Amino acid sequence: LRCGNFFNLYPKFNAEIESVVTNSHIYGGTLEDIIIMCISGELGSSNDEPFDTKTLDVCADFVNECGADIGLTTESNEVPQKGMFRCNQPQVVCVITKS
């Protein structure tokens, strides 16, 4: 993948940028576990502000109403997580090679 806009802005930046999306899952013993992981992975802040508990409500509503959109299911394969809640959590791996 070449990031055309980036290279238009910085034409002397001689590098290759590759990205690959890998399949990955998160597991939780309860739906609340999944909700907390959604917050920490996507909506958590890294500042010193107090945590806004309304974020829990937003994530809970999303998981309860749109679980299919994130692949929410119960793991049924013969793996250590069998019986746990599972949802998709794709990872993006980016490699920048400067020559």
Side-chain angles (χ1 to χ4, degrees), residues 4 6-7 9-10 13 15 18 20 23 25 27 29 33 39 49 53 61-62 72-73 75 77-78 81-82 86 89 97:
F6 177 84
F7 291 109
L9 292 171
Y10 304 98
F13 187 80
E18 299 177 63
V20 177
N23 291 327
H25 301 99
Y27 293 90
D33 294 339
I39 291 171
E49 295 296 318
T53 57
D61 289 346
F62 177 79
L72 182 63
T73 188
E75 181 61 70
N77 293 314
E78 292 299 324
Q81 299 88 353
K82 185 174 183 174
R86 178 188 86 187
Q89 184 65 39
T97 307

Side-chain angles (χ1 to χ4, degrees), residues 35-47 49-52 55 59:
I35 292 165
I36 293 297
M37 284 185 266
C38 288
I39 291 171
S40 63
E42 302 296 330
L43 301 174
S45 61
S46 60
N47 57 31
E49 295 296 318
F51 178 74
D52 183 357
T55 307
C59 284

